[in-house]
């Protein structure tokens, strides 16, 4: 991000083979190197947040891979990443299914997070339901939630659970939201 008030979030899958060589990939087992039908690389689902000048503010690994669907993905530590910013206050982040774990996301409320960033990949009939369920985490923790989903519902939820913007993104179109900043609420 060249502009001092801009942040860039990027999700990626990181593959580490048996020799420790890292490479990026699609994050699916069928594209993970295999020998004799056995997966030979560990796969991590990652979310990096970049600030001014490309400074890495966090590089987070998903703590709770989706059972069955991400059985090939290695879980990262259950530590929610946060960073303090002048522009937006305290930012926190978690990936997709991580928000289905209230005790994990409670870290956002305890850390004083103002805006929780959530990249997600949801599909089919669960797309909108997952967005609504994740909105509960905003209420529980007194945070604003910004969710960006490929193939699912993206949007912005206030700390009181009010859905201020949402769009179903089932294409490669660019979605633009105005994100009002709300004062953080003390969690119940």
């Amino acid at each position: 991000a060249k502009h001092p008030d801009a942040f860039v979030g990027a999700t990626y899958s990181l593959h580490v083979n048996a020799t420790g060589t890292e490479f990026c990939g699609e994050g699916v087992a069928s594209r993970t190197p295999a020998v004799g039908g056995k997966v030979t690389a560990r796969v991590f689902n990652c979310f990096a947040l970049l600030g001014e000048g490309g400074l890495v503010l966090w590089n987070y690994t998903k703590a709770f891979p989706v059972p069955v669907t991400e059985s090939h993905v290695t879980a990262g530590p259950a530590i929610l990443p946060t960073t303090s910013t002048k522009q937006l206050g305290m930012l926190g982040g978690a990936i997709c299914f991580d928000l289905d774990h209230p005790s994990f996301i409670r870290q956002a409320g305890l850390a004083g997070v103002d805006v929780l960033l959530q990249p997600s990949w949801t599909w089919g009939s669960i797309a909108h339901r997952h967005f609504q369920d994740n909105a509960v985490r905003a209420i529980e923790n007194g945070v604003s939630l910004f969710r960006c989903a490929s193939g699912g519902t993206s949007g912005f939820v206030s700390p009181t659970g009010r859905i201020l913007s949402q769009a179903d993104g089932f294409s490669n179109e660019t979605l633009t939201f105005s994100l009002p900043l709300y004062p953080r609420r003390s969690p119940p």
Side-chain angles (χ1 to χ4, degrees):
K2 288 185 178 182
H3 194 279
D5 293 333
F7 299 90
V8 175
T11 58
Y12 62 96
S13 57
L14 177 67
H15 300 238
V16 180
N17 67 20
T19 64
T21 303
E22 297 179 359
F23 57 99
C24 291
E26 292 295 316
V28 292
S30 63
R31 296 189 186 230
T32 301
V35 175
K38 292 187 176 185
V39 173
T40 60
R42 291 178 37 187
V43 179
F44 301 89
N45 187 343
C46 304
F47 171 27
L49 183 67
L50 309 176
E52 185 175 1
L55 176 68
V56 177
L57 301 174
W58 71 56
N59 196 3
Y60 167 73
T61 301
K62 186 176 188 178
F64 297 95
V66 179
V68 180
T69 304
E70 290 183 312
S71 60
H72 62 286
V73 175
T74 302
I79 301 169
L80 190 115
T82 61
T83 189
S84 182
T85 70
K86 288 184 262 180
Q87 306 89 332
L88 301 173
M90 181 70 73
L91 299 178
I95 300 171
C96 193
F97 191 63
D98 288 341
L99 271 81
D100 287 28
H101 298 270
S103 60
F104 172 67
I105 299 302
R106 186 73 177 141
Q107 293 177 57
L110 296 173
V113 166
D114 296 296
V115 180
L116 184 61
L117 306 173
Q118 182 205 15
S120 185
W121 179 51
T122 51
W123 56 92
S125 61
I126 69 164
H128 188 67
R129 173 69 181 238
H130 200 232
F131 174 74
Q132 290 177 320
D133 290 349
N134 292 167
V136 173
R137 301 292 94 82
I139 299 166
E140 290 171 344
N141 294 287
V143 302
S144 295
L145 172 66
F146 177 56
R147 183 173 196 267
C148 183
S150 62
T153 304
S154 297
F156 186 74
V157 180
S158 78
T160 60
R162 187 168 162 233
I163 297 173
L164 301 170
S165 299
Q166 78 178 58
D168 291 322
F170 296 101
S171 69
N172 289 329
E173 68 185 82
T174 300
L175 303 173
T176 304
F177 296 107
S178 293
L179 304 178
L181 294 180
Y182 284 90
R184 188 179 176 290
R185 278 188 341 98
S186 294

